[in-house]
Amino acid sequence: MATQALRRPPRRRQVRLDEQLPVDHRLNQVYRIGAGVTGLILIVFGILGLIDKIGFFDTGGAQVAGLSTNGTLSVLSICVGLLLLIGMIIGANFASTLNMVFGVLFIASGFINLALLDTGFNFLAFRIQNVLFSFVVGVMLMFFGMYGRVSGSLPHDNPYWRARHPEQAERERLHRARGRKGQVGVG
């Protein structure tokens, strides 16, 4: 009885956000595509806004692709787009984490700019369509960033599932290894 009181239950390994995926894992493509497509959209929007030669802090905002913009928002869009393209190039967990972080920032930006509509502090010239665009892009980036990392029913070959269930993953690996040995002897 005394030994049971001293025995600690096995510690579950905590999954860190910066753990690396295998280089060729199919989740890597999802993270890269999400970062790349969103980055390109933001860069194109920013360039179109700068081509119009609108004022840098013009709160009236010019219309570009159905969204209101000014020089500040255009430059900010290009910078964020370039960061997302860098995330696409690096890939793996960096792209996933970058997608999640920017997703949260876009949603927060939507709420902040929603509160600033029709005020003198609306220095990014946001309109309601910009707020909705921020929400959509934020949710899209969060989806791409969390895909395959956050779920209650991850498949057992998922590296995040294996990291969260190391004992069961090892049992399944041993079971598969025994099954392959049995198949090699047959024939």
Side-chain angles (χ1 to χ4, degrees):
M1 190 112 125
T3 58
Q4 287 179 345
L6 295 176
R7 188 183 307 162
R8 294 181 184 158
R11 288 183 51 202
R12 291 184 67 185
R13 184 173 166 224
Q14 296 295 318
V15 178
R16 294 180 18 212
L17 284 178
D18 62 349
E19 288 186 36
Q20 292 301 312
L21 282 172
V23 175
D24 61 344
H25 200 278
R26 63 186 179 270
L27 287 175
N28 191 23
Q29 297 294 28
V30 175
Y31 306 147
R32 285 176 179 239
I33 290 170
V37 168
T38 308
L40 284 175
I41 290 169
L42 291 173
I43 289 172
V44 168
F45 173 74
I47 289 172
L48 290 174
L50 288 178
I51 289 174
D52 273 351
K53 296 181 181 174
I54 50 182
F56 212 71
F57 290 105
D58 180 22
T59 56
Q63 291 290 325
V64 173
L67 299 172
S68 179
T69 189
N70 62 15
T72 307
L73 183 58
S74 295
V75 170
L76 186 63
S77 296
I78 291 171
C79 291
V80 170
L82 287 173
L83 287 173
L84 286 169
L85 285 181
I86 290 169
M88 179 192 76
I89 292 167
I90 294 172
N93 287 350
F94 180 78
S96 172
T97 304
L98 191 69
N99 285 342
M100 286 190 283
V101 167
F102 274 119
V104 169
L105 290 175
F106 266 91
I107 290 173
S109 168
F111 280 117
I112 290 168
N113 285 297
L114 180 63
L116 297 177
L117 288 179
D118 298 327
T119 68
F121 299 107
N122 187 6
F123 68 93
L124 292 178
F126 260 57
R127 300 285 177 256
I128 193 68
Q129 58 267 36
N130 295 72
V131 171
L132 295 174
F133 179 78
S134 280
F135 289 149
V136 169
V137 169
V139 168
M140 184 174 75
L141 281 171
M142 287 178 61
F143 171 79
F144 280 121
M146 292 180 183
Y147 186 82
R149 287 181 87 167
V150 180
S151 173
S153 60
L154 293 173
H156 291 205
D157 68 338
N158 184 296
Y160 300 105
W161 182 89
R162 288 194 311 259
R164 292 179 188 128
H165 306 90
E167 296 87 15
Q168 188 174 352
E170 182 62 21
R171 284 193 303 267
E172 289 179 7
R173 187 191 66 76
L174 292 173
H175 180 68
R176 282 191 307 273
R178 274 188 248 127
R180 275 190 243 125
K181 286 181 185 177
Q183 291 175 353
V184 172
V186 177

